[in-house]
């Protein structure tokens, strides 16, 4: 994978970076700096390239050399903890060690030129955000053109800014193994600093923001399954699903298992909870999370098993079904660092067809009087209300009870859409 965030072998930059860092001995501060540099220059790629083009007459550079210039400029204009002269010197030295000794003077000249124009360039970057938001906030123009007519210039800028801020880490208490008192006491002993999180769809003392902590995998409380890392927005779907002990519940797209394990928590591990996903490795991930969190009422099910169940005339059906559909992920763009450069306009329409198929498949195994939740982490109407509308036109036995869209610039959480449907007959 290159620094732009393009994938190799289907893996994301977050996964590849963690794999590489796990093979090195690096201090916690240096690890954080590595994350900041890698993610930062991916997020701000378009704006960084604009700065480079201003000094190079729009001449195309070799990819590795372009990355070095991005790295230096990001440290100068986006990071305050690294002195500017140190950023220039380290970038020039890195150019020499990476086989660009002949171009080290070129790198030095561009970066030092911007040091001389630092204040004027900061002002130019600020004006760029106001006059050309896509370029100023480093987002594809087509996305900004989709969002601005819907929300207006100011709220669109708030969303663009949100997407460029490193996400906070939130943890959900696993009440199958601990209560808030037990976990918070253990966190204090593990040097975990936390804060309370309150939203109208959350139970009291359910979600906490982790403000600082050692590596999560090293915490005994994590290994013991006392909590699960999960953004507050993801719990709205389960809250509206409202599962109860003893019911039959289906999570149709269960991996990695965050919503599923919260469903089990609300069911108090009593009843029948089926976790479906299409790929065996994703189901293994679900099972791993269930094992760590002590979920015993869940069973994993392959696509073939689901088709067989749905075609059986004697199928007892489910009381509640969650369809957390694969989507464009535009509501979680700040967490998927390279997403903005991978997603394409036509993908939204392509995904909506599959989302509609999932709803139809789910409704076929929903009991009369049962609840069906459709949710995405997309902000796009074509994947949300329009999919539900198309589904309702062909499903007279299903009624929409309510729907809600969480918007980062209004709700302070990742974007999400949730519709609560019920089967009347």
């Amino acid at each position: 994978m290159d620094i732009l965030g393009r994938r190799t072998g289907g893996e994301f930059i977050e996964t590849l970076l963690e794999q590489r860092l796990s093979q090195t001995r690096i201090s916690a501060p240096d690890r954080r700096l590595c994350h900041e540099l890698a993610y930062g220059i991916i997020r701000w790629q378009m704006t960084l390239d604009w700065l480079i083009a201003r000094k190079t007459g729009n001449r195309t550079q070799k990819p590795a050399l372009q990355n070095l210039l991005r790295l230096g400029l990001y440290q100068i204009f986006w990071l305050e903890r690294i002195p500017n002269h140190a950023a220039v010197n380290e970038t020039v030295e890195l150019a020499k060690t990476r086989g660009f000794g002949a171009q080290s003077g070129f790198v030095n000249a561009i970066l030092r030129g911007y040091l001389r124009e630092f204040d004027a360039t900061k002002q130019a970057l600020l004006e760029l955000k106001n006059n050309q938001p896509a370029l100023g906030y480093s987002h594809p123009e087509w996305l900004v053109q989709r969002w601005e007519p819907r929300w207006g210039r100011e709220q669109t800028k708030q969303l663009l800014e949100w997407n460029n801020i490193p996400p906070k880490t939130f943890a959900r208490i696993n009440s199958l193994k601990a209560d808030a008192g037990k976990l918070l006491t253990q966190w204090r002993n593990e040097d975990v600093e936390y804060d309370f999180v309150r939203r109208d769809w959350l139970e009291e003392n359910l979600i906490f923001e982790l403000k600082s902590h050692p590596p999560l995998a090293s915490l005994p409380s994590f290994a013991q399954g006392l909590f699960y890392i999960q953004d507050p927005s993801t719990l709205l779907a389960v809250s509206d699903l409202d599962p109860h002990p003893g019911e039959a519940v289906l999570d149709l797209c269960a991996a990695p298992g965050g919503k599923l394990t919260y469903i089990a928590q609300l069911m108090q591990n009593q009843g029948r909870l089926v976790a479906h996903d299409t790929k065996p490795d994703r189901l293994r991930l679900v099972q791993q999370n269930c094992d760590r969190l002590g979920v015993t009422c869940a069973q994993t099910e392959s696509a073939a098993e689901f088709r067989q169940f749905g075609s059986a005339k004697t199928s007892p059906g489910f009381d509640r079904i969650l369809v957390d559909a694969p989507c464009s992920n535009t509501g979680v763009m700040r967490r998927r660092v390279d997403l903005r450069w991978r997603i394409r306009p036509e993908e939204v329409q392509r995904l909506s067809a599959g989302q509609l198929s999932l709803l139809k498949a789910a409704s076929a195994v929903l009991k009369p009087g049962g609840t069906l939740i459709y949710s995405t982490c997309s902000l796009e109407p074509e994947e949300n209300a329009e999919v539900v509308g198309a589904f309702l036109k062909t499903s007279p036995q299903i009624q929409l009870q309510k729907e809600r869209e969480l918007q980062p610039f209004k709700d302070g959480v990742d974007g999400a859409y949730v519709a609560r449907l019920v089967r009347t007959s």
Side-chain angles (χ1 to χ4, degrees):
M1 172 182 241
D2 68 17
I3 203 66
L4 307 186
R6 287 192 289 262
R7 292 180 294 170
T8 56
E11 295 181 288
F12 294 93
I13 176 62
E14 296 90 341
T15 302
L16 293 173
L17 182 59
E18 286 305 317
Q19 289 174 350
R20 183 62 61 88
L21 288 175
S22 68
Q23 299 167 5
T24 64
R25 293 183 177 180
I26 184 172
S27 67
D30 285 344
R31 178 183 289 266
R32 288 193 293 270
L33 178 59
C34 185
H35 277 95
E36 171 69 35
L37 294 175
Y39 296 165
I41 63 176
I42 292 172
R43 288 190 181 101
W44 290 99
Q45 171 192 314
M46 182 183 292
T47 316
L48 289 164
D49 288 351
W50 176 77
L51 288 173
I52 295 169
R54 294 173 82 216
K55 293 292 185 183
T56 61
N58 289 310
R59 293 191 302 275
T60 301
Q61 311 299 321
K62 291 183 178 180
L65 185 59
Q66 186 83 354
N67 284 335
L68 287 169
L69 292 170
R70 290 169 178 160
L71 183 62
L73 290 169
Y74 180 76
Q75 293 176 80
I76 291 171
F77 291 110
W78 277 268
L79 286 188
E80 296 181 355
R81 53 181 153 166
I82 299 178
N84 287 342
H85 68 275
V88 174
N89 292 339
E90 288 298 321
T91 305
V92 171
E93 289 304 310
L94 187 59
K96 294 176 182 178
T97 61
R98 301 297 292 178
F100 291 98
Q103 290 82 23
S104 60
F106 167 73
V107 172
N108 184 67
I110 288 179
L111 298 183
R112 292 199 179 278
Y114 269 120
L115 289 188
R116 292 190 293 270
E117 302 167 8
F118 181 82
D119 291 337
T121 304
K122 291 287 281 188
Q123 182 61 34
L125 290 170
L126 182 61
E127 292 173 357
L128 204 61
K129 289 181 176 180
N130 291 325
N131 300 328
Q132 300 180 64
L135 183 55
Y137 288 97
S138 190
H139 278 66
E141 182 69 40
W142 71 267
L143 270 176
V144 178
Q145 289 177 354
R146 284 181 63 90
W147 292 341
E148 196 166 308
R150 198 185 322 162
W151 296 313
R153 172 64 63 94
E154 288 309 310
Q155 288 189 332
T156 297
K157 286 168 58 178
Q158 291 173 29
L159 177 58
L160 301 177
E161 182 68 37
W162 171 275
N163 289 341
N164 287 331
I165 298 173
K168 297 177 180 179
T169 301
F170 298 95
R172 166 179 59 83
I173 286 183
N174 175 25
S175 63
L176 296 176
K177 287 193 170 186
D179 58 22
K182 175 183 177 180
L183 180 57
L184 298 185
T185 298
Q186 187 159 336
W187 273 349
R188 288 191 287 269
N189 294 332
E190 294 173 351
D191 295 324
V192 175
E193 294 184 14
Y194 60 86
D195 202 356
F196 295 83
V197 176
R198 294 177 177 86
R199 295 292 189 277
D200 61 74
W201 64 91
L202 298 177
E203 303 170 56
E204 192 73 16
N205 296 332
L206 176 67
I207 291 281
F208 293 84
E209 178 190 342
L210 302 187
K211 302 181 75 68
S212 68
H213 54 83
L216 291 172
S218 71
L219 298 178
S221 56
F222 179 84
Q224 294 162 8
L226 305 189
F227 67 92
Y228 186 90
I229 297 301
Q230 195 163 18
D231 189 83
S233 64
T234 64
L235 300 185
L236 175 61
V238 181
S239 176
D240 281 355
L241 184 68
D242 192 26
H244 292 79
E247 293 182 328
V249 181
L250 169 65
D251 187 346
L252 190 56
C253 307
K259 295 182 179 70
L260 177 95
T261 52
Y262 183 44
I263 292 171
Q265 185 169 315
L266 295 178
M267 294 174 66
Q268 300 173 26
N269 251 344
Q270 300 171 33
R272 177 169 173 258
L273 176 56
V274 175
H276 168 274
D277 216 285
T278 56
K279 296 181 179 178
D281 59 333
R282 291 174 62 81
L283 285 175
R284 282 193 292 271
L285 179 58
V286 171
Q287 190 60 58
Q288 290 170 7
N289 280 317
C290 286
D291 292 343
R292 183 175 67 85
L293 298 175
V295 172
T296 58
C297 67
Q299 64 186 74
T300 58
E301 184 179 81
S302 68
E305 290 170 321
F306 175 73
R307 284 193 297 270
Q308 184 179 12
F309 177 89
S311 62
K313 294 182 179 180
T314 59
S315 167
F318 293 94
D319 300 293
R320 301 177 194 270
I321 300 177
L322 171 62
V323 178
D324 186 40
C327 67
S328 63
N329 299 303
T330 53
V332 293
M333 197 164 282
R334 71 170 181 165
R335 295 187 184 276
R336 305 287 177 86
V337 188
D338 61 339
L339 175 65
R340 68 190 70 181
W341 310 126
R342 292 188 289 105
I343 189 173
R344 295 291 181 266
E346 60 273 13
E347 197 166 358
V348 174
Q349 294 294 341
R350 179 185 64 79
L351 286 164
S352 64
Q355 292 154 355
L356 182 58
S357 295
L358 285 171
L359 269 177
K360 291 178 178 178
S363 67
V365 294
L366 182 66
K367 291 180 180 179
T371 298
L372 172 59
I373 296 293
Y374 174 74
S375 70
T376 75
C377 56
S378 170
L379 295 172
E380 312 315 312
E382 297 95 326
E383 299 181 83
N384 297 336
E386 292 181 19
V387 168
V388 171
F391 171 64
L392 292 173
K393 288 180 180 179
T394 60
S395 307
Q397 75 281 15
I398 305 291
Q399 291 184 354
L400 173 65
Q401 278 197 337
K402 62 177 180 177
E403 60 184 338
R404 181 174 182 179
E405 182 179 74
L406 299 178
Q407 299 169 340
F409 50 82
K410 288 185 178 179
D411 300 291
V413 295
D414 288 343
Y417 171 83
V418 176
R420 190 172 197 261
L421 306 150
V422 293
R423 181 167 187 163
T424 57
S425 61

